[in-house]
């Protein structure tokens, strides 16, 4: 590991001839300062900003992993906080692609390159219309937390294709315990598209204590072209372009007095949304029945109060297939007979096929003697193997189609045998397998 302290001292001596640089022991934190536990420089960079030359203060911090990670370039000036490639919260710049490979031995060159790129960033993005930049990377900008708004709600998953028209959707929420945190959990929200079967929601409702929540998708809601993307109650309704959609939204809120509203962001893998909390219609000074949900949303406290925003990732078979195998494979229907150590572990590997359904046959329960060799573990002991393996497969992929049959081979007619793409005989019992082959 190089002697970073000595190298930084050498670098600042050279760079001070070109830039106004001083070593400081703090980092900017909004209008405050917080003590830094890593080396920090404060630089003054002269650049053309918003049409005129100006001096811009930039902080350059060197994390302990430097030079194997990039230095942090921080621009605290609030005029720049909504430009592309800067974190609204930390004001750190993102100047390089993820996973960039560089020469970590050329520390002076690395530092100089970051300073030059920062100056270019200031001049480029402060002097142009950045609307297209925001649209291209809306995922990042929508995920930011903007001033005075609640934290983004990230634990949303939408199953299926994005709807092509405004419609109500099936939504459920349930608690998920963190594995590594004591007494901590988050609320997972699941929304099922109109094109998805009931099996997905059935699997979720069986596995978790899920509560139904009202969800509406609005096709014509257009977010502002530039950040900040925080939405008040009144601004939210103004963003709905189509008047019929606006009427549908108002009726939805009048009926439920609350709800979750999803809308497109121009991405195939993510939707945006807002949560409208419970709108209290009974208030001092108002006769019962005189207030409605839209009054509370647009004229009372939510007129200027920000709604909590939603980031919903999309679970869609084709997209998952393209991210793994590159394409959706030809459909396969697997018939596995016998779910002992061979058959159960075979299911695990076949489950990696991205367009598959399973028919599982085995009459036995999982016993303690099976543990160690079997796919399943202690929590499935004394359960029917077919139901336990089906549970395992749908836990891995909730949209997986699995048909468990807890019967002996001799009891099954196999009328639809030809529908199976592949058949695996894993019973380890020669007579049962001969019976099947005769059928």
């Amino acid at each position: 590991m190089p002697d970073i302290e000595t190298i930084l001292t050498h670098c600042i001596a050279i760079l001070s001839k070109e830039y106004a640089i001083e070593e400081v022991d703090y980092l900017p934190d909004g209008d405050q300062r917080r003590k830094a536990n890593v080396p920090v420089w404060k630089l003054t960079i002269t650049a053309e900003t918003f049409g005129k030359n100006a001096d811009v203060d930039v902080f350059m911090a060197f994390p302990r992993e430097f030079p194997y990670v990039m230095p942090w370039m921080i621009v605290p000036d609030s005029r720049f906080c909504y430009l592309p490639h800067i974190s609204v919260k930390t004001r750190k710049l993102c100047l390089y692609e993820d996973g960039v490979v560089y020469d970590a031995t050329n520390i002076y060159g690395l530092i100089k390159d970051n300073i030059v790129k920062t100056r270019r960033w200031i001049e480029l993005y402060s002097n142009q219309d950045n609307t297209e930049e925001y649209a291209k990377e809306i995922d990042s900008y929508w995920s930011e937390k903007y001033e005075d708004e609640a934290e983004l709600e990230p634990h949303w998953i939408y199953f299926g294709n994005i709807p092509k028209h405004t419609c109500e959707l099936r939504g459920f929420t349930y608690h998920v315990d963190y594995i590594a945190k004591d007494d901590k959990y988050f609320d997972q929200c699941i929304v099922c598209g109109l094109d998805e079967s009931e099996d997905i929601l059935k699997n979720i409702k069986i596995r978790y204590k899920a509560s139904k929540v009202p969800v509406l998708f609005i096709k014509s809601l257009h977010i502002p072209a530039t950040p900040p993307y925080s939405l008040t109650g009144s601004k939210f309704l103004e963003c709905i372009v189509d008047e019929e959609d606006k009427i549908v939204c108002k009726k939805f809120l009048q009926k439920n007095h609350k709800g979750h509203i999803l809308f497109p962001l121009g991405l195939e893998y993510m939707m945006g949304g807002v949560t409208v909390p419970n709108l209290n219609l009974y208030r001092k000074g108002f006769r019962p029945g005189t207030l409605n949900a839209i009054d509370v949303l647009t004229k009372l406290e939510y007129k200027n109060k920000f709604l909590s925003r939603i980031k919903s990732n999309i679970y869609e078979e084709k997209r998952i297939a393209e991210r793994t195998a590159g394409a959706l494979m030809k459909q396969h229907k697997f018939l596995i007979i016998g779910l002992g150590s061979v058959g159960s572990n075979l299911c695990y590997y076949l489950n990696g096929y991205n367009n598959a359904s399973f028919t599982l046959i085995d009459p036995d329960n999982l016993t303690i003697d099976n543990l160690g060799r079997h796919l399943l573990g202690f929590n499935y002991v004394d359960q029917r193997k077919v139901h336990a393996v089906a549970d395992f497969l749908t836990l891995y992929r909730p949209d997986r189609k699995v048909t468990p049959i807890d019967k002996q081979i001799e009891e099954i007619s196999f009328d639809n045998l030809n529908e199976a793409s592949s058949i695996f005989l894993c019973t380890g019992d020669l007579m049962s397998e001969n019976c099947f082959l005769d059928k």
Side-chain angles (χ1 to χ4, degrees):
M1 189 76 176
D3 182 354
I4 298 300
E5 186 176 348
T6 301
I7 295 174
L8 290 180
T9 300
H10 174 70
C11 290
I12 200 171
I14 298 174
L15 290 167
S16 294
K17 299 174 183 177
E18 188 175 352
Y19 302 96
I21 305 179
E22 60 175 316
E23 295 180 83
V24 296
D25 62 356
Y26 66 91
L27 283 168
D29 187 3
D31 296 330
Q32 307 297 318
R33 295 178 177 182
R34 59 183 172 88
K35 187 168 180 61
N37 53 14
V38 295
V40 180
W41 297 351
K42 182 181 178 183
L43 302 85
T44 301
I45 297 178
T46 303
E48 183 182 348
T49 63
F50 305 104
K52 61 181 182 181
N53 281 341
D55 290 338
V56 180
D57 288 339
V58 177
F59 288 79
M60 191 173 198
F62 301 92
R64 291 186 178 88
E65 300 83 2
F66 179 80
Y68 302 103
V69 300
M70 288 288 182
W72 304 333
M73 304 301 295
I74 301 169
V75 183
D77 192 324
S78 60
R79 294 176 301 163
F80 303 98
C81 69
Y82 294 134
L83 295 184
H85 311 298
I86 184 172
S87 168
V88 175
K89 184 176 181 179
T90 66
R91 308 292 170 86
K92 288 182 185 177
L93 297 184
C94 179
L95 299 172
Y96 298 85
E97 295 287 340
D98 289 341
V100 65
V101 178
Y102 54 89
D103 182 4
T105 64
N106 183 11
I107 293 178
Y108 172 80
L110 182 60
I111 293 172
K112 182 66 181 289
D113 191 54
N114 272 269
I115 296 173
V116 170
K117 282 182 179 290
T118 299
R119 183 175 185 274
R120 288 176 184 166
W121 175 86
I122 294 169
E123 294 192 327
L124 174 62
Y125 292 115
S126 67
N127 293 297
Q128 70 172 23
D129 179 359
N130 297 305
T131 303
E132 289 189 11
E133 287 286 334
Y134 300 128
K136 282 193 299 184
E137 298 192 27
I138 187 62
D139 184 343
S140 297
Y141 302 120
W142 184 258
S143 302
E144 287 276 3
K145 180 182 181 297
Y146 297 100
E147 189 175 1
D148 296 328
E149 72 169 353
E151 293 290 340
L152 190 77
E153 297 180 27
H155 303 298
W156 281 75
I157 300 175
Y158 175 86
F159 283 87
N161 297 305
I162 297 176
K164 296 181 180 179
H165 59 273
T166 295
C167 57
E168 287 196 47
L169 299 168
R170 297 164 292 174
F172 287 85
T173 183
Y174 54 90
H175 291 332
V176 178
D177 293 325
Y178 282 108
I179 294 173
K181 298 180 181 179
D182 294 335
D183 302 320
K184 296 285 186 179
Y185 67 87
F186 61 88
D187 288 327
Q188 180 71 67
C189 297
I190 300 292
V191 180
C192 208
L194 300 178
D195 54 337
E196 290 296 320
S197 73
E198 288 288 342
D199 290 341
I200 294 174
L201 288 178
K202 181 181 177 183
N203 289 337
I204 290 168
K205 285 188 282 188
I206 289 173
R207 192 180 306 279
Y208 309 103
K209 293 180 179 178
S211 302
K212 191 174 181 180
V213 292
V215 180
L216 177 68
F217 173 81
I218 299 182
K219 176 68 175 176
S220 69
L221 194 149
H222 297 170
I223 62 171
T226 60
Y229 294 116
S230 41
L231 297 171
T232 62
S234 55
K235 188 175 180 180
F236 153 69
L237 280 179
E238 290 171 5
C239 289
I240 302 175
V241 177
D242 185 87
E243 286 301 319
E244 288 189 11
D245 284 356
K246 193 172 290 188
I247 292 170
V248 171
C249 181
K250 288 181 178 180
K251 287 182 177 178
F252 173 81
L253 293 174
Q254 296 281 31
K255 178 178 70 174
N256 297 291
H257 297 172
K258 63 180 179 179
H260 308 282
I261 317 293
L262 299 180
F263 43 80
L265 291 176
L267 301 172
E268 293 182 353
Y269 59 87
M270 192 184 98
M271 284 194 288
V274 294
T275 291
V276 177
N278 192 42
L279 301 170
N280 180 17
L281 308 187
Y282 302 96
R283 297 164 180 265
K284 289 183 178 180
F286 293 91
R287 290 195 309 272
T290 58
L291 278 180
N292 61 46
I294 307 306
D295 290 332
V296 178
L297 183 66
T298 61
K299 297 177 182 178
L300 298 180
E301 69 261 37
Y302 290 101
K303 178 181 179 180
N304 298 310
K305 185 177 180 180
F306 293 123
L307 300 172
S308 179
R309 288 184 298 114
I310 293 168
K311 175 182 177 181
S312 179
N313 291 304
I314 294 177
Y315 182 111
E316 198 271 319
E317 187 176 40
K318 183 173 178 289
R319 177 174 176 256
I320 292 174
E322 289 172 348
R323 294 279 295 174
T324 51
L328 190 64
M329 300 174 181
K330 180 182 176 182
Q331 187 181 32
H332 261 64
K333 296 181 179 181
F334 298 124
L335 171 60
I336 296 105
I337 304 172
L339 294 177
S341 57
V342 174
S344 65
N345 284 289
L346 177 64
C347 288
Y348 173 82
Y349 292 104
L350 293 177
N351 203 34
Y353 194 92
N354 64 36
N355 188 10
S357 61
F358 291 79
T359 298
L360 309 176
I361 299 174
D362 194 303
D364 296 333
N365 287 2
L366 186 75
T367 69
I368 290 177
D369 293 337
N370 298 136
L371 301 183
R373 298 169 294 143
H374 205 274
L375 169 70
L376 303 176
F378 184 80
N379 57 319
Y380 287 107
V381 168
D382 291 334
Q383 301 280 358
R384 290 287 195 192
K385 290 179 181 178
V386 284
H387 298 297
V389 172
D391 183 75
F392 177 90
L393 295 177
T394 54
L395 178 63
Y396 184 77
R397 290 282 300 270
D399 58 334
R400 185 66 83 208
K401 295 178 177 63
V402 185
T403 303
I405 301 174
D406 55 352
K407 294 182 178 180
Q408 299 279 359
I409 291 179
E410 294 81 359
E411 301 175 65
I412 302 171
S413 63
F414 294 105
D415 293 334
N416 300 321
L417 190 62
N418 291 332
E419 293 181 5
S421 308
S422 304
I423 300 171
F424 300 90
L425 282 169
C426 308
T427 65
D429 185 294
L430 184 59
M431 296 308 295
S432 294
E433 292 180 0
N434 284 339
C435 175
F436 171 78
L437 294 173
D438 286 343
K439 288 187 178 184

